[in-house]
Amino acid sequence: LAVRAGFFEIYRGKCFDLLNKKKKVEVMEDERGQQQMVGLHQLPLSSAEQLLDMLERTDRTTRATAQNAHSSRSHAILQLAVVEPASQSWQDEGQRCKLSLVDLAGSEWAAKAQSD
């Protein structure tokens, strides 16, 4: 089994890949009715340290407010997938499970924070 990570943000109603220079990612429904992130770059992971290094290299959208100098303006979603590598080169790998961790945008009260 292998672990793959994808990391994207939702900012102003659009999805951007935080592992691939904030390229736009499309959300589409597959033939089974499940939502898929088309164009989302996924990195193979072999350790927790590798995951932490990956997260430190990302550039999430932030803005200063009256309460916080670096308030997140986007929702961020980290997806960790456990996959079974394909036994033949022509086969697709099989996904066993996916865990999505969500960090919501800063929640300062707009009147107090003087944010957009």
Side-chain angles (χ1 to χ4, degrees), residues 52-105:
L52 293 173
D53 287 343
M54 177 196 78
L55 292 173
E56 282 187 16
R57 291 191 313 258
T58 62
D59 184 27
R60 190 167 163 197
T61 302
T62 62
R63 298 283 186 275
T65 68
Q67 292 181 310
N68 188 347
H70 299 287
S71 179
S72 58
R73 300 287 88 199
S74 66
H75 304 310
I77 296 93
L78 171 65
Q79 292 186 332
L80 300 173
V82 177
V83 297
E84 187 170 356
S87 57
Q88 302 290 325
S89 61
W90 51 269
Q91 293 177 320
D92 290 334
E93 59 187 20
Q95 182 171 297
R96 293 287 186 98
C97 66
K98 185 191 304 184
L99 173 67
S100 295
L101 303 170
V102 180
D103 180 26
L104 299 176

Side-chain angles (χ1 to χ4, degrees), residues 35-51:
Q35 305 299 314
Q36 300 296 327
M37 303 301 296
V38 178
L40 182 65
H41 187 69
Q42 292 191 326
L43 294 177
L45 295 176
S46 58
S47 69
E49 291 79 20
Q50 197 175 20
L51 173 63

